[in-house]
Amino acid sequence: MSIKKQTLGEFIIENQTAFKYSSGELSKLINAIRLAAKVVNHEVNKAGLVDILGASGDTNIQGESQQKLDVLANERFIQTLANREIVCGIASEEEDDFIRINSADNNHQNKYVVLIDPLDGSSNIDVNVSVGTIFSIYRRVTPIGTPVTLEDFLQPGRRQVAAGYIIYGTSTMLVYTTGFGVNGFTLNPAIGTFYLSHPDMTFPETGKIYSVNEGNYIHFPEGVKQYIKYCQKEEGDRPYTSRYIGSLVSDFHRNMIKGGIYMYPKSSANENGKLRLLYECNPMAFLAEQAGGKASNGFEPILDIQPEELHQRVPFFCGSRKMVEKAEAFMQEYSSK
Ligand code: P6P
């Protein structure tokens, strides 16, 4: 990695003034996420070497067995964020309820809430497939000086001030936006520094890849079935290629670079789909729109959905704009079925 490239630290400082709340607190928050990412990356990369693989024996609110690395990643991000005078509350896939962060001496002066999926795709941990961390940041809406409330977390995705992911893959990358485009930083593990490797990331307008778990095909809405058949037809720029890693961050990242669509529709098994609105779909939708792509539940933009509960699930269609629009057209055409 050429050291001529800008580091994440330099990038944050250089771009801080562009951010309307540039009191430096958001920069400190992104820096805290950077630190936690390095710690979790170290644990993920050595997972095969110590007895940290496998389930922790507990289950989370989703009823999913918690992998030990899930628990560890959750603890690291919460600890790192809680230790800084910036965050007043944290919600996590691994926590039943949101966590109030308030150091006794600052009387609820912190302005930001953070929502995280600390280790998405964790079922892939034991088989050495990429996993990721997803984060979403809002300014609180209830009065500063009072304890944070659920209302601060149930904000539409359009109100995010920042969002991003860390992908622990063949290399570890941090990709994020503060509303001024999407930038990707690759970690040089030898020196523990993230370098700007993917400036101004944008989704190709269309692509050749569709990502969906076709094992659920018979349970999908008719519009999804018809769209998949459309992708498989030998016409025009098709057939497309099916690529599905089972790790949202990895599928999203590949599709953003190469062009593609990721779908997790509702099904007879998952009435609202599987993915959670607050700490999976909203941050990925913010990134997608900032990168010129699109994200919807098949009918309306993800970012316009008014959340009603912390662990709410929504159907998710996300990626290259023209591919998402085509899928939405099928959803609308067959919506009654
Ligand atoms: P399925 C991982 O659990 C996750 O939330 C996403 O990262 C991934 O795309 C999806 O679920 C995989 O779910 O039902 O296809 O195994």
Side-chain angles (χ1 to χ4, degrees):
M1 172 70 64
S2 153
I3 57 170
K4 280 191 306 199
K5 287 192 180 297
Q6 192 176 36
T7 68
L8 175 55
E10 290 163 339
F11 181 89
I12 289 172
I13 291 165
E14 188 177 288
N15 291 277
Q16 174 169 294
T17 49
F19 184 63
K20 59 183 174 183
Y21 302 112
S22 63
S23 57
E25 288 171 316
L26 185 67
S27 302
K28 276 195 259 177
L29 190 38
I30 302 291
N31 271 315
I33 288 170
R34 170 176 62 158
L35 174 60
K38 291 182 193 176
V39 171
V40 172
N41 175 63
H42 177 67
E43 301 292 347
V44 167
N45 286 346
K46 75 177 187 185
L49 304 175
V50 297
D51 175 30
I52 199 164
L53 290 176
S56 63
D58 302 327
T59 58
N60 62 18
I61 188 170
Q62 327 294 339
E64 295 161 346
S65 76
Q66 281 187 312
Q67 300 290 333
K68 287 178 183 171
L69 268 175
D70 269 350
V71 175
L72 183 144
N74 187 51
E75 285 166 4
R76 293 292 182 277
F77 273 94
I78 290 173
Q79 283 160 1
T80 309
L81 291 167
N83 293 343
R84 280 154 180 78
E85 304 289 309
I86 323 145
V87 174
C88 56
I90 300 174
S92 167
E93 181 192 47
E94 303 300 336
E95 300 289 337
D96 295 355
D97 200 354
F98 66 85
I99 300 167
R100 279 200 180 86
I101 309 285
N102 179 54
S103 39
D105 60 352
N106 91 333
N107 186 30
H108 308 296
Q109 292 305 309
N110 301 345
K111 299 187 183 69
Y112 292 97
V113 294
V114 182
L115 300 95
I116 54 170
D117 181 356
L119 209 59
D120 178 72
S122 53
S123 55
N124 290 312
I125 291 170
D126 288 355
V127 294
N128 212 10
V129 168
S130 303
V131 293
T133 296
I134 307 172
F135 62 89
S136 170
I137 302 172
Y138 294 84
R139 285 175 69 85
R140 67 179 297 179
V141 290
T142 55
I144 289 175
T146 63
V148 72
T149 72
L150 184 58
E151 185 187 354
D152 294 304
F153 295 92
L154 299 185
Q155 299 185 53
R158 194 79 58 200
R159 300 186 58 172
Q160 292 173 94
V161 294
Y165 58 81
I166 297 101
I167 179 168
Y168 310 99
T170 44
S171 63
T172 294
M173 283 190 67
L174 190 155
V175 177
Y176 81 100
T177 181
T178 58
F180 297 90
V182 177
N183 290 284
F185 300 82
T186 300
L187 179 67
N188 177 340
I191 55 175
T193 301
F194 280 100
Y195 285 95
L196 178 61
S197 54
H198 297 65
D200 253 347
M201 297 182 82
T202 52
F203 266 100
E205 199 178 31
T206 188
K208 292 269 190 192
I209 297 170
Y210 70 97
S211 309
V212 65
N213 184 340
E214 294 189 59
N216 299 324
Y217 180 87
I218 57 167
H219 304 296
F220 285 152
E222 189 58 27
V224 172
K225 291 179 179 175
Q226 293 298 326
Y227 178 67
I228 291 173
K229 286 191 182 124
Y230 166 83
C231 292
Q232 294 168 341
K233 275 204 183 93
E234 294 262 6
E235 283 172 17
D237 61 351
R238 302 185 307 287
Y240 294 158
T241 294
S242 172
R243 287 282 184 276
Y244 190 70
I245 298 172
S247 176
L248 166 61
V249 171
S250 307
D251 281 315
F252 179 97
H253 188 75
R254 182 208 50 245
N255 289 348
M256 181 156 63
I257 291 171
K258 297 192 168 204
I261 182 172
Y262 171 96
M263 300 181 284
Y264 208 105
K266 73 175 190 176
S267 69
S268 43
N270 292 308
E271 188 41 42
N272 289 309
K274 174 184 180 183
L275 300 189
R276 289 66 144 190
L277 172 60
L278 291 185
Y279 39 79
E280 290 177 325
C281 299
N282 270 336
M284 302 313 269
F286 187 21
L287 288 163
E289 289 201 2
Q290 283 290 311
K294 201 166 183 196
S296 81
N297 61 5
F299 301 97
E300 64 172 312
I302 289 291
L303 296 180
D304 293 341
I305 296 174
Q306 172 56 53
E308 285 158 15
E309 55 182 46
L310 214 45
H311 300 289
Q312 169 176 351
R313 300 173 194 263
V314 290
F316 193 52
F317 298 73
C318 180
S320 294
R321 183 177 58 79
K322 287 195 170 174
M323 297 181 84
V324 174
E325 288 171 350
K326 191 68 178 173
E328 288 173 332
F330 278 100
M331 289 300 287
Q332 274 128 36
E333 183 181 349
Y334 292 91
S335 58
S336 55
K337 298 180 179 68

